[in-house]
Amino acid sequence: MKMNNTVCRGLMAASLLFGISFFNGCVTTAQDSSAEDWTYLYQPGEDLSLWKATEHPESIRLEDGNIVLNGERAHLFYMGQDGDASWKNFEAVIEFMTAENANAGLFFHADWQESGWPRALECQINATHKDHRKTGSIYALGDTSEPGHEDDEWVTMRLRVVGQTATVWVNGKQINQWTQPEDHKLKKKRIREGTFALQAHDPGSVVKVRHLKVRRLPQ
């Protein structure tokens, strides 16, 4: 069947319009899916007014836009605007740098406490400290012996907790996954709900944190 030039041009224009509309729809969908609702717990240049430190607050300081964790045992809890910050299912991304022999951790599902090791789960930060539990370990429950990074470099660690499973990536590579067993008996160290805390481990340990963000995931 032959079509005149006018019909051909009409069909081409319709096809082009459909293509543009379809492309725009794809772009909109991609933008919508990537524009997640992140909450920034810390970014360079911010203060620590929404955080609260325990035991030895002098072990935690701001320096050149970074949180520096160095000194006698202390933990820095994120309290939020109303003092009741809490997440259950979430994805968190932290950027940190360890010095040689550094040991720290990102505690999650934590409640504020004035002293002692947090009664919460810990995602370990440790490349060369003598502790055999390395970066990405769910401390003493699901451990890994390979940190996936070196000291003196900025590292991106992503922690995702959904249901009873915690998954950890270091610099984009999955290095650990731990599922809490049904018969898990530790009442204070378990997947539940709570806030985050950063750890200053000891005077010989230096860890810098420059970003920490979190987003809620469906229940």
Side-chain angles (χ1 to χ4, degrees), residues 90 92 94 96 103-109 120-126 133-140 142-144 157-161 166-170 175-176 196-199:
F90 68 85
I94 183 172
F96 64 84
N103 190 328
L106 175 65
F107 286 84
F108 61 98
H109 288 175
L121 294 172
E122 178 187 3
C123 189
Q124 173 80 320
I125 294 173
N126 164 25
R133 300 176 175 97
K134 301 303 181 183
T135 295
S137 295
I138 304 301
Y139 197 88
D143 295 321
T144 177
M157 182 170 71
R158 179 160 63 103
L159 167 64
R160 189 173 188 268
V161 177
T167 309
V168 187
W169 294 261
V170 172
I175 63 167
N176 195 14
F196 296 90
L198 297 171
Q199 179 189 79

Side-chain angles (χ1 to χ4, degrees), residues 77-119:
F77 286 77
Y78 182 78
M79 308 302 291
Q81 293 285 354
D82 302 320
D84 59 354
S86 184
W87 289 264
K88 187 176 181 180
N89 289 351
F90 68 85
E91 185 171 34
V93 177
I94 183 172
E95 291 184 34
F96 64 84
M97 179 187 290
T98 56
E100 186 177 1
N101 297 320
N103 190 328
L106 175 65
F107 286 84
F108 61 98
H109 288 175
D111 295 323
W112 160 257
Q113 60 188 73
E114 294 185 353
S115 63
W117 303 106
R119 295 182 291 274

Side-chain angles (χ1 to χ4, degrees), residues 39-43 46-48 50-51 67 78 85 87 92 106 195-196 211-214:
T39 297
Y40 286 82
L41 308 191
Y42 183 76
Q43 303 182 80
E46 292 186 347
D47 60 29
L48 297 178
L50 300 183
W51 297 76
I67 300 174
Y78 182 78
W87 289 264
L106 175 65
T195 191
F196 296 90
H211 283 102
L212 176 57
K213 64 181 181 179
V214 61

Side-chain angles (χ1 to χ4, degrees), residues 12-29:
M12 290 174 63
S15 299
L16 180 60
L17 179 60
F18 174 79
I20 292 173
S21 299
F22 179 77
F23 177 75
N24 284 341
C26 291
V27 170
T28 301
T29 300

Side-chain angles (χ1 to χ4, degrees), residues 165-208:
T165 299
T167 309
V168 187
W169 294 261
V170 172
N171 290 335
K173 180 180 179 181
Q174 182 179 326
I175 63 167
N176 195 14
Q177 186 170 79
W178 173 74
T179 298
Q180 182 171 278
E182 292 184 4
D183 62 349
H184 185 70
K185 295 179 173 58
L186 300 177
K187 293 183 178 180
K188 297 296 184 179
K189 292 184 178 290
R190 63 186 302 116
I191 289 177
R192 48 191 182 93
E193 187 170 0
T195 191
F196 296 90
L198 297 171
Q199 179 189 79
H201 188 272
D202 63 75
S205 171
V206 181
V207 174
K208 298 178 181 179

